[in-house]
Amino acid sequence: MSTRTSPTVKRRRIAAELRRLRARTGMSAEEAGRQVGLSKSAISRIENAESTPQVATVAALMRLYGVAESDIEQISDVARQARTRGWWQRWNDVLPGWFDTYVGLESEASHISEYEPQLVPGLLQTADYARAVIRAEHPDETPEGIERRVELRLQRQEQRLEHPPKLWVVLDEAVLHRIVGSRDVMRNQLKRLADVAVQPGNDIQVLSFEAGEHGSMGSAFFILRFPEAGDTPCVYLETRAGSLYLEEIDEVEQYTTLFDHLRATAVGVRRSEEMISEAINRL
């Protein structure tokens, strides 16, 4: 049984269950909302995990859908957990709402598969590397704001160490050559990458320049899987303006297939470790 307690994942679990139960009854969102005193849009927000429902609302909806009281109490416990504050909310001053959701999901993920064409993944960045990246991404941010963002990134890493997910990363070779911060910053970052690569539970592969064109050129993506059977996988895509979460089975399968192709095209784990060492030596 997982000991993770991300309220984001709990909210997502409730949303999926309420969506499934309503579909089983054949009831429309508008009709369900009318029966419990909510608008159609409020039901939609709950079912899309965009809002956290009151425990009483969850119970009322489940009774409407004909669920037994014993099962209602079980889901009500999940609803209570969904209303707790996540550790990351201490950084709400620098944490955009669309990324808040990702951090919550990341906190409870048991498997993270990631493709990065430009940067070392945030979970593996050194403080100096993260600082340089954040400064470039937020040129108008105050020094204090930059440090707050760095703190959040480092805290995400601490949380990962408490509940280590299986991590499989495919990096474009460009990541090893792009100097971020300075040569010293980059050297230390690559040393961190080399250390992580040999730790149990981590697989890092490099997609070499020689691989040529591939199916995700210039586009990073993450596939998150969770320890509880009821929590379905999702794909996370990020842009400067926001993010997109893909949760439909066929969407997740498309990205899973793409990641499998990237893994097959990238050089093996051992050769990847050698390429990282070679990049360190060049610096």
Side-chain angles (χ1 to χ4, degrees):
M1 179 67 67
S2 169
T3 58
R4 299 173 176 88
T5 57
S6 167
T8 306
V9 175
K10 303 299 184 293
R11 184 174 70 232
R12 186 169 174 260
R13 188 182 305 168
I14 291 167
E17 182 65 5
L18 291 178
R19 200 165 56 238
R20 183 188 69 80
L21 289 169
R22 182 176 62 78
R24 187 181 67 180
T25 67
M27 199 176 298
S28 69
E30 184 175 11
E31 183 181 356
R34 185 167 58 248
Q35 293 284 345
V36 297
L38 295 175
S39 66
K40 176 183 177 181
S41 61
I43 294 292
S44 295
R45 286 195 299 273
I46 291 171
E47 291 185 357
N48 291 320
E50 294 172 357
S51 66
T52 305
Q54 297 285 341
V55 176
T57 299
V58 172
L61 285 169
M62 294 188 77
R63 289 190 183 97
L64 176 64
Y65 302 149
V67 177
E69 286 297 324
S70 58
D71 293 332
I72 290 174
E73 183 56 34
Q74 186 176 28
I75 295 298
S76 294
D77 285 342
V78 178
R80 292 184 188 95
Q81 295 172 39
R83 296 191 64 80
T84 61
R85 286 176 57 84
W87 62 262
W88 58 90
Q89 291 175 335
R90 287 176 290 168
W91 282 271
N92 275 350
D93 54 323
V94 293
L95 182 63
W98 51 265
F99 194 59
D100 177 296
T101 299
Y102 175 77
V103 175
L105 294 174
E106 178 187 79
S107 293
E108 196 160 340
S110 58
H111 292 73
I112 301 176
S113 303
E114 178 177 355
Y115 169 65
E116 276 289 356
Q118 300 290 340
L119 297 171
V120 171
L123 285 178
L124 306 181
Q125 293 177 4
T126 66
D128 288 337
Y129 185 99
R131 189 173 292 110
V133 169
I134 292 169
R135 189 179 295 119
E137 291 177 340
H138 303 277
D140 298 326
E141 182 64 274
T142 64
E144 293 78 14
I146 296 291
E147 290 308 309
R148 286 284 288 165
R149 293 175 188 273
V150 173
E151 288 173 9
L152 172 59
R153 193 156 300 184
L154 297 181
Q155 187 59 41
R156 285 170 55 203
Q157 296 176 14
E158 289 294 322
Q159 293 292 321
R160 185 183 80 87
L161 293 176
E162 287 186 20
H163 301 290
K166 168 67 176 174
L167 186 65
W168 200 314
V169 177
V170 176
L171 298 175
D172 193 282
E173 187 177 351
V175 175
L176 307 184
H177 296 279
R178 184 181 302 280
I179 305 298
V180 173
S182 68
R183 296 180 74 85
D184 284 342
V185 168
M186 195 64 201
R187 184 184 300 109
N188 289 332
Q189 175 61 77
L190 291 177
K191 287 180 179 178
R192 163 75 68 81
L193 199 59
D195 289 341
V196 171
V198 297
Q199 293 172 3
N202 299 330
D203 287 294
I204 297 178
Q205 289 182 260
V206 175
L207 189 64
S208 70
F209 292 143
E210 295 178 358
E213 68 278 2
H214 57 84
S216 192
M217 297 179 71
S219 178
F221 64 89
F222 307 72
I223 305 171
L224 305 177
R225 301 183 186 277
F226 305 94
E228 301 293 339
D231 297 325
T232 56
C234 73
V235 174
Y236 173 73
L237 306 171
E238 183 178 315
T239 70
R240 288 190 64 83
S243 60
L244 179 64
Y245 296 88
L246 307 177
E247 301 180 87
E248 297 297 328
I249 293 175
D250 61 333
E251 295 172 331
V252 174
E253 286 181 348
Q254 286 180 33
Y255 274 89
T256 299
T257 299
L258 175 57
F259 190 74
D260 287 343
H261 282 306
L262 290 170
R263 286 192 304 161
T265 305
V267 302
V269 171
R270 292 290 175 263
R271 176 58 187 144
S272 296
E273 292 171 7
E274 293 172 357
M275 291 179 70
I276 295 170
S277 296
E278 290 165 4
I280 293 171
N281 293 334
R282 284 194 297 271
L283 292 170

